[in-house]
Amino acid sequence: FASYYGDHMVLQKAPAGAVLWGHGQPGATVTVALVGASGLVVMKKMAQVKGPSGTWTAVLDPVDQGGPYTLMAEQGLENLTLQDIYFGDVWLCSGQSNMAMTVLQVANASEELAAATHYPYVRVFATAPARSDVELEDLEQIALPWSIPTAAENLGHGNFTYFSALCWLLGRSLYEALGSPVGLVEAAWGGTPIEAWSSRRALQTCGLPEDTGSPALSSSPSPHRHLSGPQTPSVLWNAMIHPLLNMTLRGVAWYQGEANAFLHTDRYNCTFPALIADWRQAFHAGSAGQTEPLLPFGFVQLSTYRRQSPDESFARLRWHQTADLGVVPNARMPGTFMAVAMDLGDEHSPYGSIHPRDKQNVAHRLLLGARAVAYGDKHLVFQGPYPTRAILEVTRGLLNITYSQELIWRQRDAQAFEVCCSSQAAPCQWVPALVVAVGSHRVTLALGGCGTLVLGLRYAWAEWPCEYLSCPLYNPQGLPAPSFL
């Protein structure tokens, strides 16, 4: 079997078929058998070992959730056996250091680690950080082989190593919501830009250089150099994602973008949708069509970094994470869902303010999106309120903004809205707009000295736009209104 198979793993359940692959003697036949708990063979598959790669692939018939099963592979006199296999939903978690933060590092860590033993059917696997200049067929190194989360060591091995707190909290919540086993695969590395996770194909889509020696990338500043992973295009795609493409997946969770607030920031509205489309195509093809073409893709919008920083790069990156459309799913990013995190800042985090410890709220917001988008719960509210129209009352100097959902106004004195005022003499300037009234679905702004020349409107456009759980606008479900431009 390929290196990422093992005892205790979770394989994707029906309606998809799980894909198994491994190495063998070119030309030989490999027989794969799935054996039930009673010892009866449930299924047998034959596969030819292809030359010159020496690899074989077998697609299992769809298996309903549950287990345990045993998997056996035979080639001539050689055989391998994997035990305690379950079928459920497999999610891939990827990104940079906020995804890599372990359960040991988050709020209420000791309670979270102690509670983990109650979830023996949520299984975890972590790739080791690795880079390559060429696409690899198999992982070179594994940080955590498939494991049951009984030992704190499996979830809190150290800082930014394994296992991802956000991935764990999401997987645990999915298990509680769905009642079926969940397999979690972590492939994350702190300080890494999206270019490193993108294939050459995806980078070409956005007109970015894909040569591996690009000085523009390798010398870029990073806000967390002490955790800085490689900046070079495609090296993480090659070593950490490409080897996984045969896996049948149910979804992806992504937390990345801080590095791109300092690198190719204004290309992210292309590089991110391109990565999503490329990963979908690659996993669909790699799994012989078993991973669905519109693989559900959830992500976390950037949280906060420096309080009262005049820098707009975090705000711009948040906007670009939605392909400049403000909310997802949208026409450029179908099948996606987003957890807004700008109200979860943590100025006193021992890992630096760029690493907030509240990953529980992030996981809850991602879970809502997963249930709505990946699992089709049409009645679930999974995102905050967003403007549907803005109407100028010229004579009264007011701007009325209508929102898509009922509004809860939490932070009354915040200057979160700004308008872009123009005069003939100069380009427009952003000035705060005072909120004079908040209705159930409407916010009214006073334009002050702006007159009629309002060319733009923005909300929460800052690196640290709100206090903890205290943005100005939420819906009754407690989800914050996302920033917009």
Side-chain angles (χ1 to χ4, degrees):
F1 288 109
S3 67
Y4 56 75
Y5 295 111
D7 294 339
H8 316 304
M9 70 178 167
V10 173
L11 293 172
Q12 182 58 42
K13 68 178 174 72
V19 178
L20 301 171
W21 75 276
H23 307 278
Q25 209 54 43
T29 301
V30 173
T31 305
V32 177
L34 183 69
V35 182
S38 62
L40 292 173
V41 174
V42 178
M43 187 190 314
K44 254 191 177 172
K45 294 284 175 183
M46 315 281 273
Q48 292 296 121
V49 181
K50 298 192 294 273
S53 65
T55 59
W56 57 270
T57 305
V59 181
L60 297 183
D61 300 333
V63 178
D64 287 333
Q65 68 186 50
Y69 292 92
T70 299
L71 264 174
M72 302 165 87
E74 285 181 11
Q75 178 204 286
L77 297 173
E78 288 182 80
N79 58 59
L80 271 172
T81 303
L82 303 178
Q83 293 175 318
D84 190 39
I85 309 298
Y86 278 77
F87 285 81
D89 278 346
V90 182
W91 282 75
L92 170 64
C93 301
S94 187
Q96 56 180 113
S97 54
N98 270 303
M99 182 60 87
M101 279 178 84
T102 63
V103 181
L104 184 74
Q105 294 177 271
V106 299
N108 303 322
S110 52
E111 291 155 52
E112 297 290 9
L113 289 169
T117 54
H118 302 309
Y119 298 92
Y121 303 112
V122 182
R123 307 287 174 86
V124 293
F125 173 94
T127 65
R131 66 184 97 186
S132 171
D133 290 338
V134 294
E135 293 181 337
L136 302 182
E137 294 310 310
D138 206 355
L139 295 171
E140 286 190 331
Q141 243 186 317
I142 289 161
L144 179 68
W146 279 106
S147 303
I148 301 170
T150 45
E153 176 73 354
N154 291 343
L155 295 181
H157 180 70
N159 290 350
F160 302 100
T161 51
Y162 57 82
F163 188 77
S164 163
L166 180 57
C167 193
W168 167 253
L169 294 165
L170 174 63
R172 187 184 76 183
S173 306
L174 282 169
Y175 171 76
E176 287 174 339
L178 306 168
S180 67
V182 176
L184 300 172
V185 178
E186 177 190 342
W189 194 343
T192 52
I194 196 169
E195 290 79 6
W197 296 101
S198 304
S199 72
R200 295 183 166 214
R201 216 174 26 245
L203 292 171
Q204 282 169 342
T205 309
C206 298
L208 279 167
E210 77 280 357
D211 60 298
T212 49
S214 167
L217 288 178
S218 54
S219 62
S220 72
S222 166
H224 35 201
R225 260 173 206 273
H226 61 293
L227 296 168
S228 224
Q231 313 276 309
T232 316
S234 303
V235 291
L236 304 185
W237 158 266
N238 291 341
M240 296 173 74
I241 302 299
H242 191 268
L244 304 177
L245 294 181
N246 292 121
M247 272 190 169
T248 307
L249 294 182
R250 187 64 184 84
V252 176
W254 173 260
Y255 195 159
Q256 189 279 334
E258 295 90 347
N260 287 97
F262 306 90
L263 169 74
H264 292 163
T265 305
D266 291 323
R267 298 284 191 96
Y268 206 88
N269 57 7
C270 180
T271 49
F272 188 34
L275 175 136
I276 294 170
D278 186 64
W279 281 26
R280 283 172 168 164
Q281 184 271 322
F283 275 101
H284 180 65
S287 65
Q290 297 303 306
T291 296
E292 60 180 279
L294 200 64
L295 174 65
F297 198 107
F299 64 94
V300 183
Q301 198 178 39
L302 285 196
S303 184
T304 51
Y305 180 26
R306 299 164 298 195
R307 190 189 286 277
Q308 292 174 333
S309 164
D311 196 309
E312 287 188 8
S313 57
F314 262 55
R316 294 206 318 274
L317 205 285
R318 285 187 200 112
W319 182 240
H320 295 330
Q321 284 177 296
T322 67
D324 302 351
L325 292 166
V327 283
V328 300
N330 60 47
R332 287 192 59 201
M333 297 172 67
T336 61
F337 52 96
M338 173 174 80
V340 174
M342 64 183 178
D343 63 334
L344 302 176
D346 183 359
E347 199 171 16
H348 303 295
S349 169
Y351 315 104
S353 61
I354 205 163
H355 299 121
R357 288 166 290 179
D358 179 354
K359 293 293 187 274
Q360 288 87 345
N361 268 305
V362 181
H364 172 66
R365 292 170 186 181
L366 268 186
L367 171 72
L368 294 176
R371 287 176 59 193
V373 174
Y375 295 98
D377 188 337
K378 299 277 181 273
H379 306 294
L380 198 67
V381 176
F382 67 98
Q383 53 194 354
Y386 200 71
T388 53
R389 67 173 186 268
I391 295 171
L392 200 59
E393 282 189 63
V394 177
T395 51
R396 299 172 64 202
L398 299 175
L399 183 63
N400 292 308
I401 307 160
T402 304
Y403 273 82
S404 58
Q405 297 172 25
E406 190 183 331
L407 298 172
I408 305 293
W409 181 237
R410 278 194 196 172
Q411 193 62 24
R412 295 185 174 274
D413 54 354
Q415 291 191 326
F417 288 95
E418 295 170 287
V419 287
C420 205
C421 294
S422 173
S423 65
Q424 307 298 306
C428 74
Q429 291 180 319
W430 290 100
V431 297
L434 196 66
V435 175
V436 291
V438 178
S440 68
H441 287 74
R442 196 162 81 167
V443 174
T444 302
L445 304 178
L447 301 177
C450 219
T452 57
L453 293 169
V454 179
L455 298 184
L457 168 68
R458 66 190 189 186
Y459 169 76
W461 197 262
E463 197 164 294
W464 196 298
C466 11
E467 292 312 300
Y468 185 72
L469 294 178
S470 290
C471 277
L473 296 174
Y474 289 79
N475 64 13
Q477 290 79 13
L479 296 173
S483 56
F484 66 79
L485 174 62

